[in-house]
């Protein structure tokens, strides 16, 4: 299970938690298999990430954040922990903060590599 940016979601992935908009309205239930139609719904409601149970092949591997394909998983993990500490007093569910944190993780990972 991993939190995956919308740009890295692919049809066939299964969401592991309910996907809700900022007001808490449920858009997709847990267990839903993603289709192309779902991506436009998520974008329309400003949802940038979703928890997925596995990838489209069902092998349990999930893609790394958009732009982070060149970094080892341990570098991305360390960068993510550092950024989460820096953003401790921010609302991590706000779409702008989420996107800023994603960019910061990638930059920290690039600096560490």
């Amino acid at each position: 299970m991993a939190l995956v940016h919308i740009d890295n979601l692919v049809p066939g992935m299964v969401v592991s938690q309910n996907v809700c908009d900022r007001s808490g309205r449920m858009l997709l239930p847990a267990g839903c298999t993603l289709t192309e139609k779902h991506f436009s719904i998520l974008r329309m409601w400003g949802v940038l990430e979703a928890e997925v149970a596995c990838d489209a092949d069902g092998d349990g591997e999930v893609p790394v954040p958009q732009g982070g394909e060149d970094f080892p998983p341990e570098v991305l993990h360390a960068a993510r922990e550092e950024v989460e500490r820096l953003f401790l007093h921010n609302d991590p569910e706000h779409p702008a903060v989420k996107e800023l944190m994603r960019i910061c993780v990638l930059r920290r990972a690039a600096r560490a590599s």
Side-chain angles (χ1 to χ4, degrees):
M1 183 170 70
L3 189 61
V4 179
H5 191 272
I6 190 167
D7 292 337
N8 293 333
L9 294 173
V10 295
M13 287 181 159
V14 178
V15 295
S16 59
Q17 293 183 356
N18 292 342
V19 179
C20 301
D21 66 7
R22 284 196 39 85
S23 66
R25 180 183 330 171
M26 187 173 70
L27 302 174
L28 300 173
C32 178
T33 302
L34 293 172
T35 65
E36 289 292 336
K37 179 182 171 186
H38 293 134
F39 301 143
S40 61
I41 292 170
L42 296 177
R43 289 182 198 285
M44 182 181 347
W45 290 100
V47 176
L48 297 177
E49 299 173 324
E51 287 275 348
V52 294
C54 60
D55 66 5
D57 298 330
D59 63 5
E61 293 182 21
V62 294
V64 297
Q66 178 188 15
E69 296 84 4
D70 297 332
F71 303 114
E74 60 273 7
V75 171
L76 282 174
H77 180 73
R80 184 173 294 118
E81 284 184 348
E82 186 177 344
V83 168
E84 286 175 352
R85 184 177 48 80
L86 293 172
F87 283 79
L88 181 64
H89 300 291
N90 294 283
D91 178 7
E93 298 303 317
H94 189 280
V97 174
K98 277 185 179 180
E99 184 64 11
L100 184 58
M101 289 177 71
R102 184 186 69 81
I103 292 168
C104 288
V105 166
L106 295 177
R107 289 188 177 179
R108 294 256 176 198
R111 195 178 308 157
S113 299

